[in-house]
Amino acid sequence: MSHTPPIFINQGKNTVGYFTTSNPEKLIIFVHGFNGSATDTWDEFPALIKENNEYANSDVVFYGYESLKGQVNNNALRFYNFLKIIAEGNSKRLGYSRNNLAPNFTYSKILIVAHSLGSIVVRRALLNAKAENKTWLLNTRMILFAPAHRGARIQNLISESLPTLGRIFAGLGFITIPVLDDLRPNSQTILNLIQETEQLIQQNQGDFTISHTVVWANNEIVVHNERFCQDPIAVLFDNKSHTKVCKPIRPNFLTPFEIVTEAL
Amino acid sequence: MSRQKFNLDIISKQYRRKGAAAKAFKSLSVLISSNDTRNLENILRDHKDEPIWENYLVDERDNIDFLIDYYSILEIGIIANYFPYNLPSKLKDEVNNILGNDYVSKYYSKYYPLILPQLLLKHISFSNVHSSIDASTPIQSNLFEKFLVLNQTIKSDGDVDQFLWFLDGGITEGYSINDLLNVLSNRETIRYKLGRSNTHPLNSSLFGFIKYIQFIKDYADLLRQTSEFKLLQSSFWHYQSYWFDHMKVQLGDIIKVALNNIRKTMNDTTQTELVNDNNSYINNSEDFDKWKSSTEQFGGIEEDIKFLLNPKMGDPLTQLLNQN
């Protein structure tokens, strides 16, 4: 018995937590992409985590947000507000209280794993944290799968990521999806993200902006596989598409899980 | 504490010991213990006999539905071996007291029939009901948690609520399911009515329609994954039986009409119209052709709906209930 059953957290949208039944030391947060969902995007990650001893002291949260409505920076702000609650020792407010935690408890490490659009949400949230001098940034790492932080090909994004009806309604102009504008390579959202990151790196204050690992899909047709500022050279997954690159599936494709485990 | 008891404790904290279900438990306990049959009968009446128009009654019955929902989840969790087969005596007493009450019983057995709470009460009363359940396996735990997470996605979604409200015959700001079906068949109508607001009831129901069809696909996938465990599969199906059984004609027909109307609109719309439309993502003939071919996937949607609306899926649990 390493983790709780799913705890439905009243933050974001359909956010689910699996809290350790041992002493919590680390926190891992998964953030999905465009039209993803809190847990589905990550396929067998929840089951693998619960079965693996290396996660025995980690709380794990699958954060969800309404990616089809609202601008990306609004979602980033909500995610930042959630991060503040969980990273600053207020996890009781998330619907699961543990009597054995010290009143001043904080995690020794926070690992944020994001897919596609989630990378922009996470980067912007961490820049907000920097603006408010949050000390937990020093213990925070990012792993990014098929990140959209250098923009996306909108037509391909729609055809790959939206369900049939969403694709049809978007084609007919029935529905407005503001985030699509934010995802264009030269959008103000992305240009600002790059500029603010570069500034912090020049001032030697941008370590937190450098991802621990970046994964690209070899069959990528949605996002632009371009290096972001000082990120490390990406790892390339063969025979994987934009949506499959972050989904571990037993027994033959465990690499996404191994990458996250290695970063713990 | 055993794993199963721990699971029960955590799930009960979320589904029963707070919010609407906790309120319903409190109010029903008071009414039952004081033998207030007049109020019990009034609150738990069949709306076909006398419509429910009082706001406080609508809220009260909503809360009761949440409590009954918890008992349904309890029964499914027992079938999945996710919860202990022998429930704690305090919980057994609660189930007997609430579900065993004549007025509550009529509510979930006669007026709005649900198998799962009936089976839970039977299980509490006759402990050999589930003797056929196999020992717990991790696979069933994973399936049960997937079930919880999947249902949560539509429980807390305003767009899906709006779509299902329309599907159930509801009206919002003068709009109904007919308005949704009409706009799907006429592109100019929807553009005139919607403007750019994502909060307009019709716009919200459009998003709700997209999300509900996605839910249908995911639910069908979950049931297919559960095919090895017939009782569990049947219990998942019964959990959504309001839509898959009671409302199956409306659900099937409305989605069929909606898909036909969408096909018509797509046939009536030219490439030039969409390329010149700033709201559309279509920029050229390649985009347009790809977009047009989306209707080929309607077959998959129709197949999932046919799969879910098959009443045979409910048989294993119904047979279990009817066994002596």
Side-chain angles (χ1 to χ4, degrees):
Chain A
M1 183 162 75
S2 64
H3 288 82
T4 64
I7 305 277
F8 299 106
I9 297 171
N10 195 20
Q11 292 283 326
K13 186 175 163 55
N14 300 318
T15 299
V16 179
Y18 296 90
F19 293 90
T20 174
T21 52
S22 307
N23 286 329
E25 291 167 10
K26 298 167 190 171
L27 169 66
I28 309 165
I29 307 175
F30 289 81
V31 184
H32 64 78
F34 180 73
N35 195 47
S37 73
T39 50
D40 258 16
T41 292
W42 307 101
D43 211 301
E44 294 196 32
F45 257 114
L48 285 164
I49 283 170
K50 281 190 283 180
E51 292 165 20
N52 190 305
N53 277 340
E54 294 191 62
Y55 291 80
N57 294 98
S58 299
D59 285 342
V60 185
V61 173
F62 291 85
Y63 181 84
Y65 59 100
E66 182 70 89
S67 61
L68 297 185
K69 292 179 165 182
Q71 299 185 27
V72 68
N73 285 345
N74 296 359
N75 281 319
L77 197 52
R78 286 194 190 94
F79 179 60
Y80 172 53
N81 290 334
F82 163 74
L83 269 179
K84 280 193 290 185
I85 293 172
I86 196 161
E88 292 167 20
N90 295 318
S91 59
K92 275 186 184 173
R93 285 171 56 189
L94 301 177
Y96 181 60
S97 56
R98 284 173 284 208
N99 297 329
N100 56 343
L101 287 192
N104 58 350
F105 165 79
T106 52
Y107 294 102
S108 62
K109 188 187 268 187
I110 299 173
L111 180 60
I112 306 180
V113 185
H115 175 242
S116 189
L117 170 66
S119 65
I120 304 179
V121 171
V122 170
R123 282 191 181 281
R124 173 49 63 191
L126 296 188
L127 288 172
N128 291 345
K130 179 63 185 171
E132 295 193 338
N133 292 317
K134 296 297 180 187
T135 51
W136 43 262
L137 263 185
L138 297 170
N139 311 322
T140 303
R141 280 181 173 184
M142 287 184 286
I143 293 179
L144 306 178
F145 287 94
H149 50 204
R150 295 298 299 262
R153 298 169 180 88
I154 303 304
Q155 276 73 17
N156 290 349
L157 179 69
I158 289 172
S159 61
E160 287 284 305
S161 304
L162 274 184
T164 310
L165 289 182
R167 208 156 56 235
I168 290 171
F169 292 163
L172 287 166
F174 280 8
I175 53 174
T176 307
I177 304 174
V179 80
L180 294 178
D181 284 338
D182 300 333
L183 278 167
R184 292 182 198 282
N186 290 318
S187 74
Q188 205 56 51
T189 306
I190 287 177
L191 294 178
N192 287 349
L193 207 59
I194 295 170
Q195 189 198 4
E196 289 173 46
T197 303
E198 280 173 348
Q199 267 176 10
L200 285 167
I201 288 172
Q202 279 165 17
Q203 294 161 7
N204 289 325
Q205 293 184 49
D207 284 356
F208 73 92
T209 66
I210 301 169
S211 306
H212 176 268
T213 309
V214 176
V215 176
W216 289 349
N218 196 37
N219 298 344
E220 182 66 71
I221 57 166
V222 175
V223 299
H224 293 279
N225 282 352
E226 294 281 344
R227 190 176 175 209
F228 189 94
C229 298
Q230 295 295 311
D231 270 358
I233 302 299
V235 176
L236 192 63
F237 282 6
D238 285 333
N239 302 318
K240 291 293 163 191
S241 66
H242 179 73
T243 50
K244 300 286 183 197
V245 72
C246 61
K247 293 177 170 57
I249 300 196
R250 284 176 283 194
N252 296 326
F253 184 54
L254 289 170
T255 329
F257 178 69
E258 287 160 1
I259 282 179
V260 174
T261 308
E262 182 274 324
L264 277 177
Chain B
M1 191 188 283
S2 75
R3 176 82 229 187
Q4 288 166 316
K5 280 186 181 165
F6 180 68
N7 289 341
L8 178 63
D9 184 52
I10 297 289
I11 296 299
S12 298
K13 271 182 187 150
Q14 299 186 78
Y15 285 85
R16 155 71 183 83
R17 287 183 223 146
K18 65 179 187 184
K23 284 182 195 166
F25 172 72
K26 199 174 167 187
S27 85
L28 282 178
S29 298
V30 169
L31 293 172
I32 291 169
S33 65
S34 59
N35 200 25
D36 188 347
T37 53
R38 195 175 62 89
N39 265 319
L40 280 167
E41 190 171 17
N42 184 40
I43 294 167
L44 296 162
R45 68 184 187 240
D46 186 346
H47 77 281
K48 292 192 281 295
D49 294 337
E50 191 185 342
I52 314 297
W53 54 269
E54 307 96 322
N55 283 338
Y56 82 94
L57 271 189
V58 172
D59 290 344
E60 191 85 37
R61 288 161 65 99
D62 272 352
N63 293 344
I64 290 168
D65 289 342
F66 274 99
L67 183 61
I68 291 174
D69 182 70
Y70 163 70
Y71 295 134
S72 297
I73 286 171
L74 202 52
E75 178 60 20
I76 299 172
I78 292 168
I79 291 171
N81 276 317
Y82 191 79
F83 298 143
Y85 179 76
N86 283 315
L87 294 175
S89 54
K90 195 177 167 193
L91 184 52
K92 278 186 190 173
D93 292 345
E94 173 188 325
V95 172
N96 265 324
N97 189 41
I98 302 287
L99 292 183
N101 175 270
D102 287 346
Y103 296 97
V104 181
S105 175
K106 263 189 214 165
Y107 184 80
Y108 67 79
S109 309
K110 189 176 168 192
Y111 304 150
Y112 312 101
L114 296 168
I115 297 277
L116 288 161
Q118 293 181 59
L119 201 56
L120 178 67
L121 185 63
K122 190 175 177 187
H123 159 218
I124 301 284
S125 312
F126 308 98
S127 59
N128 62 344
V129 168
H130 292 319
S131 53
S132 57
I133 293 175
D134 300 322
S136 178
T137 68
I139 296 171
Q140 293 198 35
S141 284
N142 287 340
L143 288 170
F144 182 71
E145 289 190 0
K146 267 190 186 177
F147 157 82
L148 289 178
V149 169
L150 182 55
N151 279 289
Q152 196 65 20
T153 62
I154 61 162
K155 273 183 185 169
S156 55
D157 193 297
D159 295 331
V160 174
D161 276 352
Q162 183 64 67
F163 173 69
L164 293 179
W165 174 245
F166 278 167
L167 200 60
D168 212 3
I171 292 172
T172 306
E173 295 176 27
Y175 296 103
S176 70
I177 190 70
N178 289 331
D179 293 287
L180 177 64
L181 293 174
N182 286 340
V183 294
L184 290 177
S185 68
N186 186 329
R187 185 163 170 267
E188 287 313 306
T189 318
I190 196 166
R191 292 163 58 74
Y192 167 74
K193 286 191 176 176
L194 290 183
R196 305 278 291 175
S197 164
N198 272 345
T199 55
H200 190 289
L202 283 178
N203 205 340
S204 175
S205 66
L206 266 182
F207 274 105
F209 185 30
I210 298 169
K211 292 174 185 175
Y212 192 68
I213 292 296
Q214 183 65 44
F215 171 78
I216 289 272
K217 180 191 177 303
D218 293 341
Y219 214 76
D221 286 346
L222 175 69
L223 262 63
R224 288 182 185 115
Q225 285 168 34
T226 320
S227 60
E228 205 181 319
F229 311 105
K230 292 295 176 199
L231 267 187
L232 188 61
Q233 185 189 50
S234 186
S235 68
F236 287 167
W237 184 86
H238 273 285
Y239 186 73
Q240 286 290 336
S241 65
Y242 181 76
W243 297 106
F244 299 164
D245 189 19
H246 181 67
M247 291 287 290
K248 70 176 176 187
V249 176
Q250 291 90 324
L251 181 66
D253 286 355
I254 284 168
I255 290 177
K256 196 173 175 183
V257 172
L259 295 182
N260 282 339
N261 288 2
I262 294 167
R263 274 194 192 97
K264 177 183 175 299
T265 302
M266 289 177 80
N267 286 335
D268 292 349
T269 307
T270 66
Q271 180 182 319
T272 315
E273 278 177 83
L274 296 184
V275 170
N276 291 333
D277 183 343
N278 289 334
N279 290 334
S280 171
Y281 73 91
I282 290 168
N283 288 333
N284 50 46
S285 59
E286 194 189 338
D287 293 344
F288 184 77
D289 291 343
K290 217 170 171 181
W291 173 77
K292 272 271 197 186
S293 67
S294 298
T295 51
E296 288 165 13
Q297 287 163 25
F298 281 5
I301 297 173
E302 285 160 339
E303 203 173 292
D304 286 337
I305 288 171
K306 193 177 162 194
F307 174 73
L308 290 176
L309 300 190
N310 178 1
K312 285 198 169 146
M313 201 87 78
D315 287 351
L317 221 59
T318 312
Q319 284 162 7
L320 188 65
L321 180 70
N322 294 333
Q323 271 172 15
N324 287 327

